[in-house]
């Protein structure tokens, strides 16, 4: 996973523009060291099935084009780079109040989405058409995180009101409220099917909860400051093991054995804990505050930082990063594993797929430089939520990707 040689940037509404004859979009090859190379893609008209015929200029060539995808090659004396751009299949503008920031989103293969906006509105909607089905009322302030339980019928949310809530997606009623954090909740994770859940927040802790009895089972407090994100996985091996138990776990603690908890912290570290032992097993310095983290496989994890670095960690040697690089992007805001790679979204409005070889092969378009705060997959589609108040849906098969 070498440092990128540069990136291709395409006009955000290229699909609408190139659908018309004799119209052009701009495209740029940009590196961290100027100058950049600018060119145009021009539609020469469309075939009988509505597919445009597009030509490029200034070293840019179109390799393949459909109504929603375009593959572009940039070639110079020293560089040859190809990327496929994927336009949204659908754009939902009425899930939330127009113009309000959408801060988090999650989706389920069962056809439901959940998202929250800057007004504190938490809503469940249909992924087929964006129709709002339920409004989840009860948080007192911003909702910072929301996600479905594996069943797809229950939602977990956390917010600036320090409350963790569990909702029925079928009725919209709050069944459980978990209280214990002393500052806003930033992220959550679900253990197995959801008898236990985990939350982390600005109070510098992560907390393991028993949903049934609405009790905190354990606190991870040796984090050194605010905890921005968390993820739970099952590693094949971790350098230094997962820590020894000081006492038998509660019988309310279910399937925590053998699991690794990742915490991304404001103090520029990615930390790993034995979920059952509560012991810290590694602490990896990063370039800046860690905004997002996730398990990539049973031997690796990834995290994204405020200064735009992506770091890959190998559990077999957690003392140093396996790979890390910084593209010419803004802060890395979210991560979503898919197939053998992952999607990441950034503060400059870009959202890209990185394959198993570390190559950025696909980019989702639509955002015009507005930050994309979260990206989610239901297995066949990707969904993004953005500062511009829109939720965009992308067909993964159009990009040759599957879950």
């Amino acid at each position: 996973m070498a440092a990128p040689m540069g990136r291709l940037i395409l006009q955000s509404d290229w699909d609408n523009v190139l659908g018309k004859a004799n119209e052009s979009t701009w495209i740029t090859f940009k590196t961290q060291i100027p100058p950049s190379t600018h060119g145009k893609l021009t539609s020469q008209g469309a075939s009988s099935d509505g597919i445009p015929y597009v030509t490029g200029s200034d070293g840019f060539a179109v390799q393949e084009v459909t109504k929603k995808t375009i593959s572009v090659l940039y070639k110079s004396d020293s560089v040859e780079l190809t990327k496929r751009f994927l336009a949204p299949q659908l754009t939902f503008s009425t899930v939330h109040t127009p113009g309000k920031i959408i801060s988090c989103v999650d989706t389920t293969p069962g056809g439901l989405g959940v998202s929250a906006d800057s007004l504190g509105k938490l809503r469940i909607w249909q992924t087929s058409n964006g129709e709002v089905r339920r409004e989840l009322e009860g948080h007192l302030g911003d909702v910072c995180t929301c996600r479905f339980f594996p069943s797809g019928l229950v939602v977990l949310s956390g917010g600036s009101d320090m409350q963790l809530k569990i909702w029925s997606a079928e009725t919209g009623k709050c069944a459980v409220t978990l209280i214990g954090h002393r500052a806003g909740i930033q992220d959550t994770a679900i253990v197995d099917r959801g008898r236990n859940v985990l939350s982390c927040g600005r109070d510098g802790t992560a907390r393991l909860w028993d949903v049934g009895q609405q009790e905190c089972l354990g606190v991870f407090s040796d984090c050194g400051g605010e905890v921005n994100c968390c993820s739970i996985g099952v590693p094949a091996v971790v350098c230094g093991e997962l820590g020894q138990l000081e006492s038998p776990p509660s019988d309310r603690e279910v399937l925590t054995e053998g699991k690794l908890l990742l915490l991304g912290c404001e103090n520029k570290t990615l930390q790993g804990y034995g979920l059952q032992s509560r012991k810290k097993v590694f602490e990896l310095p990063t370039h800046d505050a860690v905004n997002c983290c996730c398990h990539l496989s049973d031997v690796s994890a990834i995290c994204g930082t405020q200064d735009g670095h992506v770091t890959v960690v190998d559990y077999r040697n957690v003392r140093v990063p396996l790979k890390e690089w910084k593209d010419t992007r803004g802060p890395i805001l979210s991560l979503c594993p898919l197939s053998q790679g992952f999607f990441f979204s950034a503060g400059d409005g870009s959202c890209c797929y990185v394959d198993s070889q570390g190559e950025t092969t696909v980019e989702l378009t639509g955002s015009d430089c507005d930050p994309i705060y979260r990206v989610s997959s239901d297995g066949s589609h990707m969904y993004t939520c953005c500062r511009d108040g829109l939720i965009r849906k992308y067909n993964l098969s159009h990009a040759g990707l599957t879950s």
Side-chain angles (χ1 to χ4, degrees):
M1 194 175 295
M5 64 182 72
R7 60 177 293 211
L8 294 177
I9 308 172
L10 180 60
Q11 185 172 322
S12 62
D13 61 347
W14 66 269
D15 53 321
N16 294 324
V17 174
L18 296 181
K20 306 169 187 175
N22 303 316
E23 294 288 337
S24 298
T25 67
W26 59 262
I27 187 166
T28 296
F29 173 72
K30 184 176 182 180
T31 62
Q32 295 187 20
I33 302 175
S36 299
T37 302
H38 306 286
K40 289 184 177 180
L41 304 181
T42 303
S43 173
Q44 307 294 336
S47 62
S48 58
D49 58 2
I51 304 299
Y53 175 69
V54 183
T55 58
S57 69
D58 301 286
F60 298 95
V62 176
Q63 295 185 312
E64 182 183 4
V65 62
T66 70
K67 290 182 179 180
K68 293 296 180 183
T69 65
I70 187 168
S71 294
V72 180
L73 167 68
Y74 173 71
K75 191 173 183 180
S76 68
D77 292 340
S78 58
V79 173
E80 185 171 331
L81 182 64
T82 302
K83 183 181 286 187
R84 177 175 291 185
F85 296 90
L86 178 60
Q89 177 185 2
L90 293 171
T91 300
F92 302 136
S93 60
T94 58
V95 174
H96 293 277
T97 303
K100 297 302 177 183
I101 295 171
I102 304 177
S103 56
C104 52
V105 67
D106 193 27
T107 53
T108 170
L112 292 179
V114 61
S115 54
D117 64 21
S118 54
L119 292 175
K121 302 296 184 182
L122 181 62
R123 289 171 175 163
I124 294 175
W125 42 276
Q126 294 182 181
T127 56
S128 59
N129 56 15
E131 180 183 348
V132 176
R133 299 290 299 274
R134 301 281 185 271
E135 184 155 341
L136 309 181
E137 299 181 331
H139 276 291
L140 306 173
D142 292 341
V143 178
C144 303
T145 174
C146 58
R147 69 176 70 246
F148 283 99
F149 278 64
S151 67
L153 301 176
V154 181
V155 171
L156 175 65
S157 66
S160 61
D161 59 1
M162 302 173 284
Q163 297 185 81
L164 195 65
K165 288 183 174 290
I166 298 174
W167 313 80
S168 166
E170 296 176 304
T171 66
K173 302 298 184 181
C174 179
V176 172
T177 298
L178 303 172
I179 297 175
H181 279 282
R182 297 180 180 179
I185 296 169
Q186 297 283 76
D187 199 9
T188 61
I190 297 171
V191 183
D192 199 59
R193 298 178 63 182
R195 289 180 61 180
N196 299 144
V197 300
L198 191 124
S199 58
C200 64
R202 294 185 181 276
D203 60 0
T205 70
R207 296 171 183 263
L208 181 69
W209 303 89
D210 169 34
V211 172
Q213 293 189 351
Q214 304 180 36
E215 293 180 350
C216 181
L217 298 174
V219 179
F220 301 80
S221 58
D222 185 25
C223 306
E226 296 182 13
V227 185
N228 296 327
C229 54
C230 58
S231 180
I232 296 172
V234 182
V237 62
V238 174
C239 183
E241 301 179 350
L242 290 176
Q244 297 298 316
L245 293 177
E246 294 184 354
S247 59
S250 163
D251 59 2
R252 303 297 301 180
E253 191 169 324
V254 182
L255 298 175
T256 58
E257 183 179 4
K259 291 184 170 62
L260 177 67
L261 169 64
L262 292 178
L263 299 179
C265 300
E266 189 71 17
N267 69 354
K268 304 181 182 180
T269 62
L270 177 69
Q271 302 178 20
Y273 293 79
L275 182 60
Q276 189 176 82
S277 71
R278 319 284 197 261
K279 302 295 186 181
K280 184 184 292 188
V281 296
F282 73 84
E283 181 172 316
L284 179 70
T286 59
H287 290 271
D288 207 345
V290 179
N291 293 328
C292 48
C293 63
C294 67
H295 294 265
L296 188 58
S297 71
D298 62 357
V299 295
S300 63
I302 48 175
C303 69
T305 63
Q306 181 66 19
D307 69 348
H309 276 88
V310 175
T311 298
V312 182
V313 181
D314 189 323
Y315 292 144
R316 293 163 293 190
N317 181 8
V318 294
R319 292 173 294 179
V320 294
L322 175 64
K323 301 288 183 183
E324 60 182 353
W325 76 97
K326 184 181 188 300
D327 210 338
T328 54
R329 307 179 192 275
I332 307 299
L333 300 178
S334 71
L335 295 160
C336 180
L338 184 78
S339 187
Q340 300 301 309
F342 61 92
F343 272 95
F344 69 85
S345 69
D348 66 354
S350 58
C351 186
C352 301
Y353 180 72
V354 180
D355 66 16
S356 58
Q357 303 303 311
E359 300 294 333
T360 304
T361 57
V362 176
E363 182 155 353
L364 308 183
T365 60
S367 169
D368 188 9
C369 299
D370 284 299
I372 296 174
Y373 293 111
R374 292 289 186 276
V375 59
S376 171
S377 174
D378 64 7
S380 58
H381 296 82
M382 296 301 301
Y383 300 81
T384 64
C385 67
C386 188
R387 186 176 65 182
D388 60 13
L390 301 176
I391 295 172
R392 295 180 174 90
K393 177 180 180 178
Y394 301 81
N395 192 326
L396 287 172
S397 66
H398 291 167
L401 298 173
T402 57
S403 61

